[in-house]
Amino acid sequence: MHTAIPTFDGYGLGLRREHYRDFLDSDVPVDFVEVISENFMVDGGQPLDILRRVRERHPIALHGVSMSIGSADGLNPEYLHRLRKLVDAVDPLFVSDHLSWSRFEQFNSHDLLPLPYTGETLDVVCRNIAMAQDALGRPMLFENPSSYISFAASTMSEWAFLDAMCRRTGCGLLLDVNNIYVSARNHGWDMDAYLRGIPAGHVRQIHLAGHTQGDELLIDTHDQPVNGDVWALFAKAVAMLGPVATMIERDDAIPPLPDLLAELGLARALRERRAEREAA
């Protein structure tokens, strides 16, 4: 499947339980809302009703955490069936998941585990992406991971793997700028080489999030405001990519909604300043 993925130049937030009431009772000034797909892959109930009501006000992006696109034994057909029902129900802007694996047979780790970047892994991932895109009837986005280990067996860089994956399958890229920063710091990668190496024409969405300094490694905790160094890397990404759907992603230590809107305002201001400089 090589259907072009539409572009969307807007600013959004991840919809979290703490802010359901805000989104239901007021006009939150965002251009789209992203939800965790698995939280809504159900038949009826309050969560799906809330999503339906939010969808009346805002476009929705679906972001999954359990597809396990790197699983050597393929994808779970029942999972794909339930995701397709959700896709048909909300007509999302994007459907995304992560370049990772989390499942082996009936075991699900609930973690986004890294992959070795080899030709064999690329074949597995591309085969699974083709299966997922056929099942959903649309191309997907896949997010670059944050990682804490690397594999001696890898024969290519992460950005070269992403480039080959997107070109072979026609999928898009969800570029998590914080993940680039965390992985680059943990592994000693060159962040500028990473940005130059990704398939820029396939990027359709950007995530911005916070991280925490562990004893030896940076941890992708999503419980902090966006770090200043990540904002600087975002500025470089914006200069390369131009307008791309951009959102703040927070999963723990959820602050009041105005705090997240203020962070989103920083992203908007940074991109607009860049556009003004280019137009001058």
Side-chain angles (χ1 to χ4, degrees):
M1 176 180 294
H2 293 282
T3 304
I5 305 174
T7 58
F8 182 82
D9 176 18
Y11 300 87
L13 291 177
L15 178 65
R16 301 297 179 257
R17 185 185 305 274
E18 290 81 354
H19 301 141
Y20 281 175
R21 201 72 260 164
D22 298 285
F23 277 91
L24 294 175
D25 293 346
S26 62
D27 290 321
V28 179
V30 296
D31 301 313
F32 71 101
V33 172
E34 185 187 86
V35 301
I36 302 300
S37 304
E38 288 80 1
N39 291 344
F40 301 93
M41 290 165 57
V42 293
D43 293 323
Q46 187 178 42
L48 206 55
D49 181 60
I50 290 171
L51 180 61
R52 179 187 59 77
R53 293 161 64 190
V54 172
R55 177 68 180 88
E56 292 174 354
R57 295 172 181 259
H58 304 283
I60 297 289
L62 298 179
H63 186 51
V65 295
S66 298
M67 182 172 282
S68 192
I69 203 68
S71 284
D73 57 349
L75 305 182
N76 183 331
E78 172 59 20
Y79 177 92
L80 293 176
H81 173 70
R82 289 189 291 121
L83 181 56
R84 176 62 187 261
K85 287 183 65 176
L86 181 60
V87 168
D88 290 344
V90 303
D91 186 22
L93 284 172
F94 308 116
V95 183
S96 64
D97 208 289
H98 300 78
L99 177 60
S100 64
W101 71 283
S102 57
R103 181 180 52 77
F104 176 71
E105 296 180 342
Q106 300 305 311
F107 172 75
N108 192 334
S109 75
H110 300 288
D111 286 316
L112 301 171
L113 301 172
L115 295 163
Y117 297 128
T118 67
E120 182 180 10
T121 306
L122 183 62
D123 290 342
V124 168
V125 168
C126 290
R127 184 171 65 242
N128 288 343
I129 290 176
M131 179 181 179
Q133 294 185 148
D134 285 347
L136 300 180
R138 58 186 297 156
M140 293 184 62
L141 312 183
F142 287 91
E143 177 180 329
N144 56 296
S146 57
S147 60
Y148 313 100
I149 62 169
S150 59
F151 294 85
S154 291
T155 57
M156 65 184 86
S157 64
E158 183 171 292
W159 49 97
F161 190 96
L162 292 168
D163 181 67
M165 178 189 80
C166 290
R167 295 182 192 283
R168 279 179 53 173
T169 66
C171 75
L173 185 61
L174 194 172
L175 189 67
D176 191 309
V177 176
N178 181 63
N179 287 359
I180 295 177
Y181 184 81
V182 167
S183 295
R185 284 282 306 275
N186 287 343
H187 301 304
W189 295 342
D190 182 335
M191 298 181 205
D192 292 330
Y194 197 114
L195 285 179
R196 290 193 302 269
I198 60 170
H202 287 255
V203 177
R204 290 292 181 274
Q205 188 180 346
I206 287 177
H207 274 179
L208 288 165
H211 59 260
T212 300
Q213 176 65 61
D215 291 339
E216 297 181 359
L217 300 171
L218 290 186
I219 310 299
D220 182 30
T221 49
H222 291 193
D223 63 353
Q224 302 287 328
V226 178
N227 175 281
D229 292 335
V230 175
W231 282 120
L233 189 60
F234 172 65
K236 291 184 178 181
V238 167
M240 184 185 75
L241 300 172
V244 177
T246 300
M247 60 161 279
I248 302 295
E249 187 181 37
R250 183 74 71 89
D251 293 310
D252 204 357
I254 306 291
L257 187 60
D259 292 6
L260 293 180
L261 289 172
E263 268 199 292
L264 193 62
L266 291 176
R268 189 190 303 268
L270 193 153
R271 262 180 44 184
E272 289 179 352
R273 284 199 300 271
R274 179 74 196 183
E276 290 171 358
R277 284 199 297 270
E278 290 179 351

